[in-house]
Amino acid sequence: MHRNTTTRRLAGVALAATAMAGIGLATAPGASALGKDGVLETYEFGLYYNSGQAGCVFDLFNYETTFANDTFWKASGTCSGFGQTTNDNTASYWNRDTGTWWVYTDADADGAEGTLPAGYKGTASDTFKNKISSSYPYDAH
């Protein structure tokens, strides 16, 4: 009888540990950062409709080969650029990810290439302002 009780307790502890590990994974940094919801969160890369990180944002958690079917989002309230296409319509950006992001002036990592290191935010240069069409969290060339 003692062995059966011990086995049940160990099984209960193992089950609880497994459940806690699952909860830990679900709440790990970046687990909720899915992008494309109008909220630029940690571990995301954001493209803004206006200069100075103003207006609506298009937030990415992963690469995007073309912005042709993407639009600027708003989480709540109003912002300029809502519903406008992201393709060739970005004036500024903010890299809240932990690594460098690459942007390109054409779809599929073609055209001029620019790099934005972790934490960088700024207004796009003349080469990239309203010309960005794809982006990747790695060098796509």
Side-chain angles (χ1 to χ4, degrees), residues 44-123:
E44 290 184 338
F45 175 67
L47 301 165
Y48 289 87
Y49 183 73
N50 290 331
S51 299
Q53 297 74 50
C56 289
V57 65
F58 178 68
D59 54 316
L60 294 164
F61 182 68
N62 206 343
Y63 70 92
E64 190 71 22
T65 61
T66 179
F67 297 147
N69 297 314
D70 295 312
T71 58
F72 288 98
W73 289 77
K74 64 178 178 176
S76 63
T78 61
C79 58
S80 59
F82 174 69
Q84 297 294 316
T85 182
T86 308
N87 191 56
D88 293 336
N89 219 3
T90 296
S92 61
Y93 28 73
W94 184 5
N95 182 0
R96 293 200 63 201
D97 201 351
T98 57
T100 299
W101 273 73
W102 282 256
V103 294
Y104 300 89
T105 55
D106 292 327
D108 302 314
D110 209 1
E113 175 188 79
T115 57
L116 304 166
Y120 182 82
K121 63 180 170 178
T123 297

Side-chain angles (χ1 to χ4, degrees), residues 1-69:
M1 186 90 136
H2 178 67
R3 175 182 266 181
N4 194 19
T5 303
T6 302
T7 303
R8 279 193 311 225
R9 284 185 183 161
L10 287 174
V13 169
L15 182 60
T18 302
M20 291 306 292
I23 291 169
L25 287 175
T27 58
S32 67
L34 300 176
K36 298 185 181 183
D37 63 1
V39 178
L40 183 60
E41 300 168 287
T42 304
Y43 305 107
E44 290 184 338
F45 175 67
L47 301 165
Y48 289 87
Y49 183 73
N50 290 331
S51 299
Q53 297 74 50
C56 289
V57 65
F58 178 68
D59 54 316
L60 294 164
F61 182 68
N62 206 343
Y63 70 92
E64 190 71 22
T65 61
T66 179
F67 297 147
N69 297 314

